[in-house]
Amino acid sequence: MMILNDKVAVVTGASQGLGRGFAEILLENGAKVALLDLNETLGREVQAHFNEIYGSDRTQFYPCDVASDELFKDAFQKVLHKFGRVDVFCNNAGILNEKDWEKTVSINLSGVVRGTYLAMDHMKKQNGGQGGVIINVASMAGLGPLPGAPIYTATKHGVVGFSRALAETSNIADYGVRINALCPGFVRTALLNSFQTDEKAMLESIMEKAKFLEVEDVAKAFLLLVKDESLNGAVLVVASAGTAFMSFPTELPRTPV
Ligand code: NAD
């Protein structure tokens, strides 16, 4: 198990919702945490709140847009300048906007790729790094369709595939970096209220029947992916029925159609 005292973590989309929960469980376990988010007002409030509870030197908020190469890189450099290293990187920022689908791709998928490569370049042994772990937040929509949200579904499938392929690459090339994906079911956060689509009624009818998770349940699953050093390329599903690792076929079907 990875011990988090003296480790430095970065969480994107940390001003509220799941990202805030991930930041808090990392703090509870001894890490220092950089909070990155577009929402500066909320981010600074969260920093002040965490400083009161966990001490004034353990949390720092940085404004950041994961859709921008330049702004993301700039925020990452500021984190390195302040804390000297990064050991845990959580790509969590995401939106649910089917109308502006290119923006959704740019945040949910390209943003995860940007963050992962920034972290990987810093952490990998071949660059003189000390290893680490990257957790990419996908969704159950990364494993099956979310009706009314085909673009969101595509980006989350992309996050799962990207994370698994890079995990295997890291394993074979011995980068010393683990990459895992987290796939939660519904959690009541701002994301669900902000759903932009012509098919809003479709998601609302699904949500009427859904059982919602608590942020704390998802944060516990997240922590497992961070701490368990045997996990690389893992895809952890957090559903109301429980938390379970996803297993994938090792061979593609060969039966002719
Ligand atoms: P949320 O809306 O509560 O929080 C998302 C945060 O990301 C916000 O603080 C927002 O300001 C920030 N953000 C948005 N665009 C950004 C950008 N370009 N750069 C930096 N920060 C940005 O949402 P949440 O529910 O906590 O979602 C967090 C992650 O969990 C997302 O990737 C989401 O897809 C995923 N997820 C959510 C649910 C759910 O039901 N809420 C389920 C499965 C997966």
Side-chain angles (χ1 to χ4, degrees), residues 13 16 18 37 64-66 92 138 152 156 184-187 189 191:
Q16 60 188 325
L18 288 173
D37 204 294
C64 172
D65 182 354
V66 302
N92 163 76
Y152 185 80
K156 296 301 186 177
F186 286 125
V187 191
T189 64
L191 179 110

Side-chain angles (χ1 to χ4, degrees), residues 5-220:
N5 288 336
D6 301 322
K7 301 284 185 198
V8 177
V10 175
V11 180
T12 69
S15 289
Q16 60 188 325
L18 288 173
R20 180 185 166 141
F22 300 153
E24 181 140 36
I25 206 163
L26 290 165
L27 286 163
E28 285 167 2
N29 280 268
K32 294 177 179 158
V33 184
L35 316 168
L36 272 53
D37 204 294
L38 263 186
N39 190 327
E40 265 194 78
T41 313
L42 272 185
R44 297 207 186 278
E45 276 174 33
V46 175
Q47 178 189 323
H49 174 72
F50 285 165
N51 281 350
E52 262 180 40
I53 303 174
Y54 301 103
S56 60
D57 240 20
R58 301 230 348 248
T59 310
Q60 182 70 47
F61 171 76
Y62 298 94
C64 172
D65 182 354
V66 302
S68 153
D69 279 331
E70 201 188 328
L71 298 177
F72 206 168
K73 209 171 169 179
D74 185 53
F76 191 70
Q77 287 309 320
K78 286 183 178 143
V79 175
L80 289 178
H81 185 71
K82 159 106 180 149
F83 293 109
R85 55 185 291 147
V86 170
D87 309 279
V88 178
F89 198 101
C90 174
N91 287 296
N92 163 76
I95 61 168
L96 184 44
N97 185 339
E98 295 294 311
K99 286 195 168 170
D100 194 345
W101 65 265
E102 287 178 307
K103 184 175 172 191
T104 300
V105 174
S106 183
I107 294 172
N108 291 14
L109 180 57
S110 310
V112 169
V113 174
R114 281 184 195 98
T116 301
Y117 283 157
L118 276 174
M120 185 61 95
D121 279 351
H122 168 72
M123 291 172 174
K124 74 195 251 196
K125 288 198 276 188
Q126 286 80 350
N127 291 352
Q130 294 170 46
V133 59
I134 299 168
I135 309 295
N136 290 334
V137 180
S139 161
M140 294 223 320
L143 301 165
L146 179 59
I151 296 301
Y152 185 80
T153 299
T155 60
K156 296 301 186 177
H157 275 67
V159 170
V160 170
F162 170 70
S163 304
R164 294 181 65 215
L166 192 61
E168 282 206 17
T169 311
S170 178
N171 185 31
I172 294 164
D174 195 23
Y175 292 162
V177 179
R178 299 184 289 117
I179 304 103
N180 295 314
L182 185 65
C183 293
F186 286 125
V187 191
R188 280 188 212 282
T189 64
L191 179 110
L192 297 181
N193 301 331
S194 69
F195 188 34
Q196 295 287 318
T197 178
D198 292 332
E199 309 298 344
K200 205 171 169 73
M202 207 179 277
L203 187 76
E204 279 166 358
S205 93
I206 294 169
M207 286 198 300
E208 265 172 36
K209 292 169 224 137
K211 286 193 180 141
F212 284 82
L213 298 160
E214 298 299 325
V215 170
E216 291 71 25
D217 299 330
V218 185
K220 275 186 208 148

